[in-house]
Amino acid sequence: QVQLVESGGGLVQPGGSLRLSCAASGSMFSINAMGWYRQAPGKERELVARIRTGGIKDFADSVKGRVTISRDNAKNTVYLQMNSLKPEDTAVYYCNAEVVPGWLQEPKNYWGQGTQVTVSS
């Protein structure tokens, strides 16, 4: 089993910055991808940013230029730096990891418990 522990959410004014962290622990052979999704009230969960094998990064169009994502492989931790935050960034942010549990096993998806990000004056 894999656990994802998130930290760093909170209340920030428009134009401000936040840094989210997510650490993975448990039984893992490898991690194919780690990243962040978000879900605003009444909306579907959507990708914010993720890092895939080989360091390939994907970003939602709505956050490009405002968000950076990085990963510390030694700590199995992914970081999301969000700048120039807007009220429409308000959502619950969920960490996601696609983990290969063992040699030649199928990858599994794991989710964190979610952390609230509120952008408001």
Side-chain angles (χ1 to χ4, degrees), residues 26-81:
S27 178
M28 298 176 287
F29 177 75
S30 63
I31 301 177
N32 287 346
M34 289 190 77
W36 293 89
Y37 291 69
R38 67 186 180 187
Q39 188 167 19
K43 295 187 176 182
E44 293 187 353
R45 192 173 296 188
E46 62 176 3
L47 173 71
V48 178
R50 67 180 175 185
I51 299 181
R52 295 183 277 141
T53 301
I56 299 170
K57 300 178 182 181
D58 303 308
F59 296 92
D61 289 341
S62 59
V63 303
K64 283 180 180 177
R66 301 190 294 120
V67 161
T68 58
I69 188 167
S70 59
R71 178 176 159 183
D72 185 332
N73 292 325
K75 297 180 179 180
N76 291 325
T77 299
V78 65
Y79 305 96
L80 186 72
Q81 177 68 42

Side-chain angles (χ1 to χ4, degrees), residues 28-30 100-106:
M28 298 176 287
F29 177 75
S30 63
V100 178
W103 175 249
L104 296 180
Q105 293 186 17
E106 290 295 318

